[in-house]
Amino acid sequence: MDVDTRHWIGGRRVANADTFEDVSPLDGEVIAVVSRGGTAEVDAAVAAAKDAFVGWSRTSPAERAELLRRVAAGIEARIEDLAQVETRDNGSLLRSHRRGVMPRVAMNIRFFADHLSSLVHSDFDTRGHRNHVTWDPAGVTAIVTPWNAPLMLATWRIGPALAAGNTVVAKPPEWAPLTASLFADIAHEAGLPAGVFNVVQGLGNEAGAPLVAHPDVRRICFTGSVPTSIKVGESAARNVTPVSFELGGKSPLLVFDDADLDLAVDLAVEQFDNSGQVCLAAVRMLVQDGIYDEFRARFLERAATLVQGDSRDEGVDLGPLVSKSHFERVDGFVKRAVAGGAEVILGGGPNDELNVATGGFYYRPTVFEGVDRTMEITCQEVFGPVLTLQGFSTEDDGIAMANDTDYGLAATIVTGSQERAERVASAVRAGTVWVNCFFVRDLSAPFGGSGRSGIGREGGTWSFDFYCDVKNSVFAPKGWN
């Protein structure tokens, strides 16, 4: 289908002479030539958003909520279009986009529209003075999103930002920019006023950098790598601009000897979802010694049955990695791990047969054994279909290994004991802990990372605490005419 590859600024399409090629990881083909923005386009988009903020921030919460519900309805009407485009763009499974990801995009918008009605704080008294708390719109919000679930992760921030009364300038990922453009069309058709939502496409150092450094941006949301977040944070600090960061992960899957092994194996195999390109994935499998051998055998047997291929095929379990450069990055991690003494017990390299046949960037599901805490493969985020398997003896040992990381985004625990589940969940350092489940997300719950996995919490009222200037007005009991 046709996707407009120009910027969306101030309610109209804007092109510029510079472009970049958008390559599909399914087959290595160029699927779009996209406008390549820079400082000029960023300045224009921020100016449009700043102008639009005056009117948008003064609309009532009920008006904003109704408009956003129309946007959500527009998304639902185009789920198939969005799913097809994003699968072609970033290589994620089409069935996942149809059944889960794109419906969640609509839910992201609708949830925060609905949540506005519950955004109240009871007045309270201080020595006869009345305290009244409000959430006031903050201003222009910059949203820089990643390529692994570009539209879903963008609307996780766009939803509350717009609902709060802010205006938005979004910089989509250059490896998967197309659904952001479709979202702009949908929002416009729903009646969102010009300048309230803007899209500037381009490379990180050319479009992202001037956006996060802009003095008229009042909130910055970034999802991506730790090194890039440091640069974003330095720019934000110069303008004292609040930031919300969702960064990397090196999450543990803790399997205790009282666990349901069928469940444990199911959860372990699920960590290959989206070819491992999931920040929340529990890539460090830590299994108690008493069940280690049985878990290992059953997990490897199941993982070996995963089907890799074109993500548009219903029977495929793993698609490609998002780009040639990311494919080479993942392969570099694997080669260095082998050179460092880690043992490959599954996969261990590219799917050469499939890559030759398709021209895509497919990497085999890979599992390492014989690793330790000093190795790069256990310390650094690979962001590919690469897991490590280690044993532990006691509960305390398992907790210590789980926490032996600079990251703290998530953790998954598998145990048959509620008492142990409570103890371990309390002791593990992570923003989200799943017990006998994985990837259960409620939009009203706080979400964010500890350590190098991020700054801040979003979800429910926590989102509005970030996107708004929370104000307390104190009224004296006397002095009225």
Side-chain angles (χ1 to χ4, degrees), residues 38 77 115 119 129 170 205 212 251 268 310 378 433 456:
H115 194 75
L119 196 64
H129 294 67
N205 61 333
V212 299
S251 301
D310 191 314
T378 59
V433 179

Side-chain angles (χ1 to χ4, degrees), residues 422-438:
E422 299 284 352
R423 284 196 307 272
V424 177
S426 177
V428 168
R429 184 169 62 93
T432 299
V433 179
W434 286 292
V435 179
N436 294 337
C437 60
F438 177 66

Side-chain angles (χ1 to χ4, degrees), residues 187-253:
H188 175 64
E189 291 164 5
L192 203 67
V196 171
F197 177 74
N198 306 271
V199 177
V200 177
Q201 298 156 145
L203 309 186
N205 61 333
E206 296 174 356
L211 177 59
V212 299
H214 203 290
D216 289 334
V217 166
R218 296 316 310 142
R219 293 292 186 273
I220 297 172
C221 308
F222 172 76
T223 303
S225 70
V226 172
T228 302
S229 76
I230 293 171
K231 297 178 182 178
V232 174
E234 290 171 346
S235 294
R238 295 187 186 100
N239 296 314
V240 198
T241 305
V243 298
S244 176
F245 287 164
E246 181 192 337
L247 308 178
K250 200 70 179 175
S251 301
L253 172 66

Side-chain angles (χ1 to χ4, degrees), residues 248-372:
K250 200 70 179 175
S251 301
L253 172 66
L254 270 168
V255 183
F256 289 94
D257 56 11
D258 58 1
D260 178 333
L261 265 181
D262 289 334
L263 173 63
V265 170
D266 286 346
L267 293 174
V269 172
E270 195 173 346
Q271 307 313 310
F272 287 120
D273 181 50
N274 202 22
S275 294
Q277 298 168 128
V278 177
C279 56
L280 294 162
V283 295
R284 294 184 298 132
M285 297 185 294
L286 310 176
V287 182
Q288 198 159 18
D289 293 339
I291 58 168
Y292 184 92
D293 291 340
E294 185 178 358
F295 172 90
R296 179 187 188 276
R298 291 169 64 173
F299 167 68
L300 292 178
E301 181 180 9
R302 277 282 306 283
T305 67
L306 293 171
V307 177
Q308 190 165 42
D310 191 314
S311 303
R312 294 166 293 190
D313 294 343
E314 188 72 17
V316 163
D317 301 305
L318 283 89
L321 297 177
V322 70
S323 71
K324 182 179 179 181
S325 60
H326 187 60
F327 172 92
E328 292 170 347
R329 178 182 180 276
V330 170
D331 193 43
F333 270 102
V334 171
K335 288 177 177 175
R336 290 191 297 274
V338 171
E343 179 187 357
V344 174
I345 57 175
L346 181 74
N351 190 328
D352 291 329
E353 181 180 357
L354 190 56
N355 291 334
V356 169
T358 66
F361 315 123
Y362 297 86
Y363 208 89
R364 296 186 185 279
T366 296
V367 181
F368 281 106
E369 200 174 40
V371 299
D372 62 47

Side-chain angles (χ1 to χ4, degrees), residues 145-200:
T145 50
W147 43 260
N148 57 323
L151 189 56
M152 190 270 284
L153 292 175
T155 53
W156 163 243
R157 266 69 184 270
I158 292 167
L162 294 181
N166 292 357
T167 53
V168 168
V169 179
K171 206 296 279 185
E174 56 264 34
W175 287 346
L178 299 183
T179 48
S181 184
L182 288 178
F183 180 85
D185 290 339
I186 292 168
H188 175 64
E189 291 164 5
L192 203 67
V196 171
F197 177 74
N198 306 271
V199 177
V200 177

